[in-house]
Amino acid sequence: MISDYEERMKRIERILDQVAKEHGSLANNLGDVAEDTFYAGLESTKRLGQQKFTTIARNVRDFKGNEYDIVLMNGSTVAVLEVKQKVHPKDVEELVTKTIPAFRNSYPQYKDYKLYGGLAGLSFPIDARVDAEKQGLFVLAQSGKNIKLENYDGFKPKVL
């Protein structure tokens, strides 16, 4: 016979599993929102500072399974951007020590290109911003100017 205690523990485990599943979905959704925001802004300008790019790609995967959130290119320069809902100092370190070297290793055809790195975040605390700038990374934060009207051509708004 299963004791009352064991039954309660099983119920608690099921609840915790459900909470973990919902938390994962929420975190993925927030990450998608951040990527959508920065990709939309960069797609329209294709610029990072003074650097102009001709091509932008999202969620680029290499043969090892590494994913690069946003990659911008022109004939001599590549920029690899990591997008976060909230940027932490550990994200700066990971970009510099793991992501950029992995990109260089996976794409030897760009060995002679200038390679820039950057972090984009909906929330970008000052400590992470300072760390990123010290590492020579582009720092991208959201702006109220990054809004685009998505109605179809000829759309007529309704007075309510």
Side-chain angles (χ1 to χ4, degrees), residues 55-69:
T55 306
I56 183 170
R58 183 174 174 184
N59 299 326
V60 174
R61 287 192 184 274
D62 65 18
F63 62 94
K64 294 179 182 177
N66 296 311
E67 182 178 308
Y68 308 96
D69 294 335

Side-chain angles (χ1 to χ4, degrees), residues 2-159:
I2 297 177
S3 73
D4 208 28
Y5 172 78
E6 289 172 325
E7 186 62 39
R8 280 185 281 172
M9 289 305 294
K10 285 184 180 183
R11 198 171 0 173
I12 289 170
E13 285 177 12
R14 284 192 300 273
I15 291 168
L16 288 174
D17 285 346
Q18 182 63 32
V19 168
K21 183 178 177 183
E22 290 173 7
H23 179 278
S25 293
L26 178 61
N28 287 339
N29 288 341
L30 289 172
D32 289 346
V33 168
E35 284 187 19
D36 287 348
T37 299
F38 289 102
Y39 184 82
L42 290 166
E43 183 180 38
S44 65
T45 65
K46 290 188 184 75
R47 293 182 72 99
L48 283 174
Q50 300 302 310
Q51 219 31 221
K52 293 180 186 178
F53 297 91
T54 54
T55 306
I56 183 170
R58 183 174 174 184
N59 299 326
V60 174
R61 287 192 184 274
D62 65 18
F63 62 94
K64 294 179 182 177
N66 296 311
E67 182 178 308
Y68 308 96
D69 294 335
I70 299 175
V71 178
L72 296 121
M73 292 184 208
N74 63 31
S76 62
T77 307
V78 178
V80 176
L81 305 179
E82 181 71 21
V83 180
K84 299 290 184 187
Q85 191 271 327
K86 182 176 183 178
V87 178
H88 298 277
K90 68 178 176 56
D91 299 320
V92 174
E93 182 181 344
E94 186 170 316
L95 180 67
V96 171
T97 63
K98 294 181 182 164
T99 306
I100 296 296
F103 184 88
R104 280 234 184 254
N105 187 44
S106 294
Y107 296 100
Q109 64 268 37
Y110 301 119
K111 69 177 169 58
D112 295 328
Y113 281 46
K114 288 185 256 173
L115 176 60
Y116 294 106
L119 280 159
L122 297 178
S123 175
F124 215 124
I126 191 70
D127 57 341
R129 186 177 303 223
V130 168
D131 286 353
E133 286 184 357
K134 283 181 182 175
Q135 293 292 334
L137 301 173
F138 282 103
V139 173
L140 292 86
Q142 67 179 359
S143 164
K145 295 178 184 178
N146 196 19
I147 297 172
K148 181 172 128 184
L149 193 60
E150 290 284 341
N151 297 104
Y152 60 87
D153 288 341
F155 168 78
K156 302 270 190 246
K158 187 186 294 184
V159 177

